[in-house]
Amino acid sequence: MKIAKIDIIPLAIPFKFGGKPYGWGKQAWSRLNTTLVRIETDSGLVGWGDAFSYSSRRAIQGILEEMVVPILIGEDATDISGLMHRLQKDLHLFGRYGMIIHALSGVDIALWDIAGKAAGMPLCNLLGGRVRNDLIGYSSLFKYNDPELVAEKTRTSLDQGFGLVKLHETGVAEVAAARQEAGQEIPIMVDTNCPWTAAEAYQMAMKLKPYDLLWLEEPLFPPEDFAALANLGARTGVAIAAGENACTAYQFREMFRAGAVTYAQPSVTKVGGITEFRKISTLAAINSVQLMPHSPYFGPGFLATLHLTAAEANPGYIEWFYLDREACLYGDAIKPNKGFYQVPPGPGLGLEPDPNVIKDYCIHDE
Ligand SMILES: [Mg+2]
């Protein structure tokens, strides 16, 4: 079964989150961007993946079209490990971490979708897991910088059945507002997205400690300073989560060697796809680290996260970006039910993206 055709499809779906504009690089974030990878084999099977690309989609598209697709055409689609090793090796001089590996992640997910379809099995079964209907989701709130809005979104999340809530905030007042709204029993996590020095992070972790966080996520810059993360967790007694900015099992090996985290957060659209995620999963298990997959996505990467989590002996929680999307690639099929997720039971990733959503939200160069 040879790879016959690869299409790279940049997609942007507008969303609303009910707060003041927020974004990176002076651009307000108003659309969920991703780069879909569609791989077709000579037997007619089609697989879908996506590569992380919030504001990097032109770069990711360029990497895929110019550097990756020419290597893959005509190759055996079932040789996933071999192809991913070859791609990483051939492209290593362009950087081992970051956009090259993000781009490869989309290819890997699509190849595993094909493998599941060829076997007539859901991906989680192919990975040695089982289709399960009890994956616990958590509401991952956008950044509001506003205690009242944080309290309001915490309340609506709980009213919709979520049993855990994660904030993207760096202020004590916002965390206090969420804790007051949620009461003492609901686990709350705080994702800070790498803002602080080690000294600042220590001070902030101690200020946040009274709010009894399940975890404090990415408190340090740079995120790969694993020794400083380990030191922070040991000194404060606050559980640290990190890993969404790490790529490949090798970076996670260093993270675990340093004892940097209680919760590891590999992102299937960033680490190198399902192949690397599975290696990270094994490393985490033998180092007694709990996986908590990073998955604020809405495409094939989200489905892959459901399957990977269903194949875990100790499944982590599923991150659900708490936003109002203008459209969804899978309609209502991946919406949470009272805070829980079902793994799509079909072969491969289990669902096919809606061609009308792709047509309507595909970006043509502006
Ligand atoms: Mg995060």
Side-chain angles (χ1 to χ4, degrees), residues 166 168 191-193 217-218 244 265 294 319:
K166 186 168 90 178
H168 283 87
D191 188 351
T192 59
N193 295 114
E217 181 169 331
E218 290 202 306
E244 70 177 80
Q265 301 177 295
H294 174 258
E319 180 173 17

Side-chain angles (χ1 to χ4, degrees), residues 121-125 129-134 307 310-311 342-346:
M121 293 170 77
L123 180 62
C124 62
N125 291 149
R130 66 186 174 95
V131 176
R132 55 200 304 168
N133 298 326
D134 57 351
H307 285 274
Q342 298 191 359
V343 181

Side-chain angles (χ1 to χ4, degrees), residues 6-302:
I6 303 178
D7 296 307
I8 310 303
I9 306 165
L11 202 68
I13 296 182
F15 68 88
K16 292 193 170 72
F17 69 99
K20 291 184 281 266
Y22 176 76
W24 291 282
K26 298 187 178 176
Q27 292 179 32
W29 198 14
S30 62
R31 300 188 295 179
L32 291 168
N33 290 280
T34 197
T35 305
L36 292 177
V37 179
R38 178 187 183 277
I39 300 183
E40 188 171 338
T41 67
D42 60 359
S43 65
L45 283 179
V46 170
W48 291 89
D50 65 333
F52 177 85
S53 44
Y54 285 171
S55 58
S56 60
R57 61 116 181 136
R58 280 195 182 86
I60 294 289
Q61 188 172 7
I63 289 167
L64 285 165
E65 288 180 347
E66 294 184 24
M67 301 162 80
V68 176
V69 170
I71 294 174
L72 289 173
I73 295 297
E75 297 296 327
D76 178 0
T78 66
D79 182 24
I80 303 176
S81 297
L83 287 175
M84 296 314 295
H85 182 77
R86 179 174 161 195
L87 285 167
Q88 285 200 24
K89 197 172 172 187
D90 283 2
L91 300 177
H92 79 273
L93 62 165
F94 302 106
R96 289 286 297 138
Y97 306 120
M99 285 190 278
I100 293 284
I101 302 292
H102 300 170
L104 298 188
S105 303
V107 169
D108 183 83
I109 296 168
L111 290 174
W112 276 102
D113 188 24
I114 289 169
K117 287 167 177 167
M121 293 170 77
L123 180 62
C124 62
N125 291 149
L126 202 63
L127 298 173
R130 66 186 174 95
V131 176
R132 55 200 304 168
N133 298 326
D134 57 351
L135 294 179
I136 298 169
Y138 67 84
S139 172
S140 185
L141 305 186
F142 207 80
K143 189 176 182 73
Y144 291 96
N145 282 320
D146 181 324
E148 282 184 25
L149 278 174
V150 169
E152 178 190 322
K153 298 298 177 184
T154 299
R155 171 51 44 200
T156 53
S157 296
L158 298 176
D159 288 346
Q160 287 168 26
F162 284 103
L164 309 90
V165 179
K166 186 168 90 178
L167 321 180
H168 283 87
E169 304 290 343
T170 50
V172 176
E174 284 79 6
V175 177
R179 174 53 76 203
Q180 185 173 10
E181 190 66 38
Q184 294 308 308
E185 302 301 318
I186 297 290
I188 290 176
M189 301 81 92
V190 174
D191 188 351
T192 59
N193 295 114
C194 312
W196 297 315
T197 64
E200 290 165 345
Y202 176 77
Q203 287 186 337
M204 287 304 300
M206 294 309 287
K207 285 183 184 171
L208 295 173
K209 195 169 180 179
Y211 302 102
D212 191 24
L213 306 183
L214 180 61
W215 73 65
L216 179 62
E217 181 169 331
E218 290 202 306
L220 288 177
F221 184 83
E224 69 273 25
D225 190 347
F226 301 135
L229 276 177
N231 190 32
L232 179 68
R235 285 177 72 203
T236 61
V238 173
I240 303 296
E244 70 177 80
N245 286 301
C247 289
T248 83
Y250 289 94
Q251 260 200 321
F252 282 86
R253 181 180 70 175
E254 298 312 307
M255 186 187 301
F256 299 156
R257 274 182 174 165
V261 297
T262 303
Y263 301 105
Q265 301 177 295
S267 177
V268 72
T269 67
K270 298 175 85 173
V271 294
I274 290 163
T275 302
E276 287 293 330
F277 193 110
R278 292 287 282 173
K279 295 176 189 173
I280 294 160
S281 162
T282 303
L283 277 175
I286 61 177
N287 282 281
S288 302
V289 171
Q290 174 66 49
L291 283 194
M292 288 290 177
H294 174 258
S295 66
Y297 308 132
F298 56 97
F302 184 79

